[in-house]
Amino acid sequence: MIARVIVDIRNGDVDKIFDYIVPDGMDLHAGDRVLVPFGKRDTEGYCIAISDDSQVAASRLKPVKTRLDPFTCVNPDMLALMDFMRRKFYLRYADCLRLFVPPQMRGGKVGELKRLYVELVPGSDEKIADIPTRAKRRLELVARLKRGGDYLSVLAEEFGAATVNALVDAGIAVKTERAVYRKPYAEMQEGAKRVTPTDDQKRAVESIFATDKTVSLLFGVTGSGKTEVYMEAIERTLAEGKKAIMLVPEISLTPQTLRNFRARFGEKVALMHSGLGVGERYDEWKRALTGEADIVIGARSAVFAPLDNVGLIVLDEEHDGSYVSESNPRYDTAEVAEFRVRQTGGKLVLGSATPSIDSFEAAQEGRYNLIVMDRRISGRGMPPIEIVDMSKELLAGNADIFSRRLMQEMDGALSRGEQVMLFLNRRGHSSFAMCRNCGYVPKCENCDVALSYHSVEKALVCHYCGARYKMITRCPKCGSDNIKMGKIGTQRVVSELQKMHPGTKILRLDAESTTTKDAYLDILGAFKAREAQILVGTQMIAKGHDFPDVTLVGILDADLGLYHSDFRSAERTFQLVTQVAGRAGRADKEGKVLLQTFSPSHYVYRFASHYDYPGFFAKENNTRKVTGFPPYSTIVRVLFSSEIEEKAIACTKSVYLGLKAYAAEHRDDFFVLRAMVAPVAKIERHYRYQIVMRVTKQSEDAVFGCIHKLLDEYRTRGVSVFAQLDPQNMM
Ligand code: ADP
Ligand code: ZN
Ligand code: ZN
């Protein structure tokens, strides 16, 4: 018997299957991890198939050394998924397998699966009394252990391994091996009470299973009770003996969902996301693999949960950009999910209050089953959105961050003891130029997207075709020379607020102020507990949290998202405004939203302020059709990066010329094909070049095939290459 093995090595150039002999008596299956001789060393690998014969002469084959685990890591469905992802996303075997198996499994760390647990030795009070008072760390550790033991790894991180060992050596504490599953966020299970589904919810669940379509798009306004629909559908799936995956954009930011699921499904739920500790991650993965858990809930990587017979996958907030992995390995969660459920005859549910244009178009075309829930459970309407024209503020002599309307409303809310959220847009890293007088923004003549200002060259650049324009100093529309770039920071907003409202407590939440999920939850917790009146933050505060006392939401710089150099900027801004508005007036108090803009008549704001998604969709979809952007085309981007610039250029050039020759024979398939420096020209000492093309939907697979062939031919050592379909964020 021959084992076909993928060797798990870092070298990006090796993506081959190697054959090994399966020694007599070794019980080896496809999907098992193995140890095999490779070059001079033994290396870990994955057996992806067992076959009867090999192309290689038997005399040259070496035997598999060991089967590493007593169980199969990668089930047959996942092996099929690996093949799909290789083709679809141009990934290497090893890249896919790394997504499927938690990091702790690799590198021979499996022996540590039993973890060392540290606790106090009973009756060691005398020895504790002997600890000198200057040994602060040791005393702190003792105090901690008196409240209960913990894992060595946790304690060592907190107190230092030397401190732990000192207590063990003194006979005060003892280390024992424990193989227990720890439950992430164990505190989150109480609360959530069962509700009786409404007719809308029942109808939605029926529709998911009654349709002959694999994918359902659940278009339900904020507060329409989508979570209950997901849970009912999952319950039904489990009742049929199948399993389910529930995906949310950022699990650590939505503890509410987890709480609901724990309350309803208890131990059957496993949680998978990258914020967990390595040990926790392994435990949850293992519970899913062994069938102990049959629901996996998590952020995008949970789509690779090692479940068999997946009958249902849910993507909540399906429009969220985080479902597309933009760094290696790159993949699109929705496509992976659809492939998985198609294999098993299951269902995929995409849920959103503001579906992506692509998904809604797919529903209009009839590729997806459309389910609409347009009533809120509470029976209330959405809070009114008032548009504030910031150029009028300028004319009136107010060049501040805050409009007079906003200041007035803030004063009112604060004096009534209510809370205020102020929202700053942060998307991407590039800035655009804008006339502060009339709101004019320079756009690319070829692509109709806002140009990005590159400060180094002092030029305006289009990220889709590479066209360069001179920076404008005078507005071509109104003649004003009040052209501005750049963004306002949360810090500045806070300090200005503090000046205006000296006695008011203000909290700030952005990527810089919160590096850990705990810090994030702490700040939100403090705000919810009314320890502050104002919360200033970036889109991080837009996610689904309930703050019953927030009655005013201010969007300070809505335009920043609107003119981000991205054809999806209108869509993203619409989504954001709707989501942020959902934070105002959640409970029994009336809420209000003030949206500050220099382009008050822009269609995005017109539709968003009326919560008119269908109207927005019709307009935006038509624009895409006319300009030939997705869903009416596919954007393909091939990114080359290398520490040696010449290498990156040479490789880009060869592939570009090959593609040009191909395009000459398939003229009708291509709208655009360009090679250029990547928007971010250098990251971590790597020079970056890209080929960007826009092709017809029908030709997508053929073009991708051609790219793969060219890459196989021209890819050189020292250059890493990624090919992406419809990149979310071109940097
Ligand atoms: P969405 O995700 O669509 O914005 P949620 O799922 O968060 O909405 O539901 C909004 C609120 O309505 C939640 O507080 C939820 O507990 C409540 N809810 C949902 N379904 C019901 C129901 N059938 N009966 C009573 N309350 C419900
Ligand atoms: Zn102007
Ligand atoms: Zn352009």
Side-chain angles (χ1 to χ4, degrees):
M1 293 289 256
I2 302 296
R4 320 209 66 202
V5 173
I6 303 300
V7 183
D8 190 6
I9 47 174
R10 281 262 162 234
N11 189 338
D13 298 335
V14 180
D15 187 37
K16 274 211 212 91
I17 301 176
F18 296 94
D19 287 359
Y20 289 88
I21 294 167
V22 181
D24 286 340
M26 184 184 283
D27 181 28
L28 196 67
H29 312 268
D32 287 353
R33 291 192 326 124
V34 290
L35 195 67
V36 291
F38 188 75
K40 293 193 193 79
R41 298 181 301 128
D42 288 344
T43 306
E44 285 181 17
Y46 299 84
C47 168
I48 60 160
I50 302 280
S51 97
D52 287 333
D53 46 26
S54 170
Q55 304 283 346
V56 185
S59 58
R60 297 184 48 210
L61 290 177
K62 292 178 191 157
V64 173
K65 274 254 162 87
T66 335
R67 179 182 186 225
L68 282 171
D69 318 297
F71 50 83
T72 296
C73 271
V74 185
N75 70 36
D77 287 356
M78 300 299 282
L79 289 172
L81 177 62
M82 173 182 76
D83 284 330
F84 167 76
M85 291 178 67
R86 269 174 55 79
R87 268 180 287 122
K88 190 80 201 179
F89 309 119
Y90 195 65
L91 295 177
R92 301 182 316 134
Y93 287 112
D95 294 331
C96 299
L97 291 163
R98 282 206 186 106
L99 288 169
F100 300 170
V101 173
Q104 201 182 32
M105 296 289 291
R106 300 193 303 263
K109 286 189 209 142
V110 191
E112 291 175 8
L113 292 184
K114 283 212 181 71
R115 269 168 299 273
L116 285 171
Y117 191 82
V118 180
E119 54 200 330
L120 285 183
V121 177
S124 50
D125 290 351
E126 261 173 51
K127 288 177 187 158
I128 290 173
D130 287 344
I131 301 176
T133 43
R134 65 186 151 74
K136 280 222 178 64
R137 306 285 288 161
R138 265 183 275 169
L139 289 167
E140 279 165 20
L141 178 54
V142 168
R144 160 83 191 263
L145 290 174
K146 277 189 175 158
R147 280 181 273 131
D150 205 339
Y151 290 92
L152 176 61
S153 53
V154 178
L155 296 171
E157 193 163 298
E158 225 169 293
F159 296 91
T163 315
V164 181
N165 287 330
L167 290 192
V168 173
D169 292 344
I172 295 169
V174 62
K175 291 184 201 169
T176 43
E177 278 199 336
R178 275 204 191 179
V180 226
Y181 294 144
R182 270 139 319 144
K183 192 155 87 188
Y185 300 95
E187 69 283 8
M188 283 181 183
Q189 31 190 351
E190 81 301 343
K193 52 180 184 310
R194 270 301 265 278
V195 298
T196 318
T198 61
D199 288 345
D200 265 6
Q201 288 169 329
K202 281 192 212 143
R203 191 177 43 79
V205 177
E206 283 307 318
S207 179
I208 292 167
F209 295 100
T211 176
D212 55 356
K213 289 168 187 148
T214 298
V215 187
S216 288
L217 176 63
L218 176 58
F219 168 38
V221 299
T222 317
S224 59
K226 294 188 285 297
T227 315
E228 186 62 24
V229 174
Y230 305 149
M231 291 198 288
E232 286 286 329
I234 289 173
E235 188 148 317
R236 191 141 145 182
T237 304
L238 299 192
E240 287 171 9
K242 297 180 179 174
K243 300 178 182 174
I245 302 176
M246 170 79 210
L247 301 171
V248 291
E250 177 55 275
I251 183 80
S252 56
L253 309 191
T254 47
Q256 186 65 41
T257 312
L258 183 58
R259 195 171 286 141
N260 285 332
F261 272 70
R262 281 260 168 82
R264 175 116 170 213
F265 301 108
E267 296 298 314
K268 286 188 190 155
V269 183
L271 172 65
M272 288 174 75
H273 79 89
S274 56
L276 299 182
V278 219
E280 289 175 328
R281 244 200 279 186
Y282 173 79
D283 289 350
E284 295 291 88
W285 179 83
K286 189 73 189 295
R287 294 205 309 124
L289 183 78
T290 55
E292 208 176 308
D294 38 26
I295 305 167
V296 169
I297 166 166
R300 68 168 179 242
S301 61
V303 77
F304 303 113
L307 298 170
D308 56 348
N309 201 9
V310 175
L312 179 72
I313 301 181
V314 176
L315 259 83
D316 188 27
E317 310 280 356
E318 66 90 28
H319 59 272
D320 197 281
S322 73
Y323 283 122
V324 180
S325 163
E326 299 275 75
S327 55
N328 192 34
R330 290 158 201 254
Y331 61 88
D332 179 349
T333 310
E335 293 205 49
V336 172
E338 186 170 341
F339 181 84
R340 284 198 80 168
V341 294
R342 278 196 190 281
Q343 275 181 295
T344 55
K347 298 289 185 184
L348 171 62
V349 176
L350 307 175
S352 177
T354 50
S356 70
I357 297 293
D358 305 58
S359 299
F360 205 74
E361 170 61 16
Q364 299 284 307
E365 270 180 13
R367 275 190 295 126
Y368 293 174
N369 171 43
L370 181 64
I371 306 169
V372 181
M373 296 208 299
D374 52 11
R375 272 173 299 192
R376 305 182 91 186
I377 296 276
S378 64
R380 297 181 151 267
M382 295 292 287
I385 299 179
E386 183 182 323
I387 294 172
V388 181
D389 183 348
M390 292 304 276
S391 40
K392 284 211 183 108
E393 293 294 306
L394 273 183
L395 287 179
N398 174 21
D400 234 346
I401 309 173
F402 311 104
S403 61
R404 291 160 299 168
R405 272 297 285 143
L406 182 57
M407 289 197 271
Q408 184 190 348
E409 288 291 335
M410 257 197 299
D411 286 345
L414 293 175
S415 68
R416 287 190 300 273
E418 297 160 357
Q419 289 181 299
V420 176
M421 283 173 100
L422 294 179
F423 178 83
L424 278 156
N425 216 335
R426 279 287 160 285
R427 192 161 274 290
H429 42 83
S430 54
S431 64
F432 62 96
M434 182 198 255
C435 169
R436 291 282 141 132
N437 187 44
C438 74
Y440 168 84
V441 170
K443 289 187 172 185
C444 176
E445 286 161 20
N446 311 320
C447 308
D448 199 40
V449 295
L451 297 167
S452 246
Y453 177 67
H454 285 215
S455 51
V456 184
E457 313 131 80
K458 297 208 169 33
L460 296 166
V461 181
C462 172
H463 285 179
Y464 289 92
C465 72
R468 288 179 138 45
Y469 300 79
K470 253 179 45 198
M471 178 59 197
I472 53 167
T473 49
R474 186 165 290 281
C475 173
K477 220 170 116 198
C478 76
S480 159
D481 58 5
N482 194 358
I483 309 284
K484 286 245 165 72
M485 275 104 27
K487 324 170 170 180
I488 327 164
T490 49
Q491 199 117 44
R492 196 177 135 215
V493 173
V494 171
S495 65
E496 304 250 323
L497 278 173
Q498 208 73 76
K499 268 184 250 158
M500 292 185 319
H501 302 278
T504 307
K505 276 277 297 169
I506 302 166
L507 285 169
R508 177 167 85 97
L509 188 60
D510 56 23
E512 290 101 66
S513 61
T514 50
T515 41
T516 65
K517 68 166 195 273
D518 290 340
Y520 175 90
L521 292 175
D522 284 351
I523 294 177
L524 291 178
F527 188 59
K528 190 158 187 165
R530 307 203 36 125
E531 286 168 30
Q533 284 79 57
I534 307 177
L535 177 64
V536 178
T538 56
Q539 34 262 71
M540 293 174 91
I541 63 174
K543 309 263 172 190
H545 300 278
D546 263 339
F547 300 104
D549 290 323
V550 171
T551 57
L552 177 65
V553 169
I555 307 174
L556 298 181
D557 54 355
D559 301 337
L560 258 188
L562 196 53
Y563 297 114
H564 181 54
S565 169
D566 179 345
F567 72 91
R568 285 195 191 84
S569 56
E571 180 181 349
R572 294 262 182 256
T573 304
F574 184 91
Q575 290 159 353
L576 220 56
V577 171
T578 310
Q579 201 171 28
V580 172
R583 302 302 114 220
R586 299 276 290 186
D588 48 351
K589 296 194 186 87
E590 282 290 319
K592 176 177 276 180
V593 181
L594 289 186
L595 186 157
Q596 301 192 151
T597 171
F598 284 93
S599 317
S601 54
H602 195 288
Y603 68 91
V604 168
Y605 301 138
R606 216 170 59 233
F607 289 116
S609 63
H610 294 103
Y611 297 97
D612 182 4
Y613 177 83
F616 170 72
F617 171 81
K619 163 92 182 153
E620 181 66 16
N621 194 41
N622 190 50
T623 308
R624 302 276 180 92
K625 200 181 272 178
V626 171
T627 52
F629 270 102
Y632 298 95
S633 67
T634 300
I635 294 178
V636 187
R637 179 220 209 185
V638 192
L639 180 71
F640 303 79
S641 69
S642 174
E643 284 192 70
I644 302 158
E645 189 166 17
E646 291 74 35
K647 278 194 174 183
I649 295 176
C651 197
T652 309
K653 212 166 177 177
S654 316
V655 175
Y656 176 64
L657 291 176
L659 270 168
K660 236 173 117 169
Y662 176 88
E665 287 167 27
H666 301 82
R667 260 174 228 289
D668 293 343
D669 293 345
F670 284 77
F671 297 111
V672 182
L673 168 63
R674 297 278 156 75
M676 62 187 108
V677 185
V680 180
K682 201 175 170 191
I683 293 182
E684 289 170 353
R685 301 200 324 278
H686 285 74
Y687 294 90
R688 306 165 89 238
Y689 285 79
Q690 66 182 18
I691 302 172
V692 178
M693 64 213 94
R694 229 153 69 210
V695 303
T696 59
K697 265 245 133 32
Q698 307 83 278
S699 66
E700 178 186 305
D701 285 344
V703 172
F704 225 57
C706 168
I707 293 172
H708 285 195
K709 269 222 306 280
L710 289 166
L711 290 180
D712 287 342
E713 193 172 335
Y714 294 115
R715 178 179 231 177
T716 40
R717 241 174 207 290
V719 183
S720 56
V721 186
F722 299 116
Q724 291 170 281
L725 289 178
D726 285 342
Q728 295 287 309
N729 196 347
M730 292 245 267
M731 59 176 274

